Amino acid sequence: MEVIYEDNHLIIINKSPGEIVQGDKTGDEPLVETLKHWFKEKYGKPGNVFCGVVHRLDRPVGGLVVFAKTSKALTRLNDMFRNGEVEKTYWALSRNKPEPAEGRLVHFITTTERNNKSYASLTERSGSKRAVLTYRLLGCSDRYNLIEVKLETGRKHQIRVQLSSIGCPIKGDLKYGDKRSNPDGSISLMARRIRFTHPVSGKEIDVTAPLPSDPLWQAFDKIEFEDEK
């Protein structure tokens, strides 16, 4: 568990692929419980420790996850995420290059719980939810392409299914059309950067996750974010 940022009200973790944010049917310990144990040990807190889940990443995805340390922060962060006041930037590796190199995707996503899979359609269907993201090609290596994604909505498997819909499945993501799995079971998608106004202090929080040590990711390490302020 890698702590990227922490104060009295919130903590931002760089999640490893394979870790789960919140408990599921596997029974594996989720990050939220790991954090509670960590808080108890680090701060010597007796009894129950508060840690609120603000948002989630799919299990095979790595990168930044925000947790609330106080109920006040949790309530306000939940509202901010719901109202689109949190800027989330993702990086994805794909064997294919998007055409055009940048754009805005609008789909209607339907999720089937039976196989835990989402489906994207250009037309609205019964039970579907509107899904919007913007993307741009940041760089290319001999075999892979780095795509930056910014979400305007938060739907289940949204980035995975929408990139797949334009012929750019994420490396390692067999569920959405890639050829081969990654050796560690991850997919090559990470929550790279998160930016928002602190829910209590009002200061700007702008955090970027380090790239994984995998050489494929490291090949893109020199790409810098443009100043968007």
Side-chain angles (χ1 to χ4, degrees):
M1 185 182 73
E2 182 181 10
V3 178
I4 301 296
Y5 174 87
E6 183 186 11
D7 62 29
N8 290 335
H9 296 279
L10 59 90
I11 187 169
I12 303 176
I13 301 297
N14 184 25
K15 177 180 109 59
S16 298
E19 293 180 315
I20 53 175
V21 174
Q22 201 167 26
D24 63 9
K25 61 185 178 182
T26 65
D28 296 338
E29 181 174 273
L31 265 177
V32 65
E33 293 300 322
T34 302
L35 274 172
K36 288 178 181 179
H37 299 320
W38 187 75
F39 290 152
K40 286 175 72 72
E41 183 176 335
K42 181 177 180 180
Y43 299 111
K45 291 189 173 183
N48 293 329
V49 175
F50 184 88
C51 185
V53 176
V54 178
H55 66 121
R56 299 163 185 78
L57 292 179
D58 293 344
R59 186 164 194 161
V61 178
L64 300 173
V65 186
V66 181
F67 294 88
K69 295 172 66 176
T70 64
S71 57
K72 177 193 289 188
L74 178 61
T75 299
R76 293 181 181 178
L77 283 167
N78 281 338
D79 289 342
M80 291 166 64
F81 272 84
R82 185 165 47 249
N83 296 332
E85 298 171 23
V86 179
E87 182 181 307
K88 295 172 286 183
T89 303
Y90 296 80
W91 279 14
L93 297 180
S94 177
R95 302 176 202 276
N96 300 330
K97 186 182 296 185
E99 296 290 346
E102 60 181 288
R104 185 171 184 262
L105 302 180
V106 181
H107 289 94
F108 294 91
I109 289 181
T110 305
T111 300
T112 303
E113 296 300 332
R114 174 179 50 81
N115 60 357
N116 191 34
K117 189 172 181 179
S118 294
Y119 300 87
S121 171
L122 293 175
T123 57
E124 189 170 5
R125 298 181 177 182
S126 176
S128 65
K129 295 180 179 179
R130 188 170 181 267
V132 185
L133 62 76
T134 57
Y135 73 88
R136 61 174 176 146
L137 180 66
L138 290 184
C140 306
S141 67
D142 292 341
R143 297 174 57 194
Y144 297 100
N145 303 280
L146 176 64
I147 304 170
E148 177 188 85
V149 174
K150 293 189 176 183
L151 290 177
E152 294 183 25
T153 57
R155 308 301 182 201
K156 188 169 187 176
H157 297 178
Q158 180 179 337
I159 297 174
R160 300 165 66 181
V161 68
Q162 285 194 279
L163 287 186
S164 178
S165 75
I166 60 169
C168 294
I170 295 165
K171 180 182 178 294
D173 197 358
L174 297 180
K175 178 169 283 191
Y176 291 102
D178 195 39
K179 302 174 183 177
R180 292 181 293 278
S181 60
N182 289 341
D184 62 357
S186 70
I187 64 173
S188 298
L189 173 65
M190 67 174 299
R192 173 67 164 162
R193 183 189 188 191
I194 193 163
R195 184 164 70 171
F196 57 93
T197 299
H198 194 286
V200 180
S201 70
K203 72 176 183 178
E204 183 181 70
I205 303 296
D206 190 346
V207 178
T208 299
L211 288 180
S213 57
D214 186 308
L216 291 176
W217 280 112
Q218 290 297 315
F220 296 101
D221 191 36
K222 301 303 180 184
I223 295 177
E224 300 289 344
F225 282 101
E226 295 178 1
D227 185 359
E228 299 169 334
K229 298 179 182 179

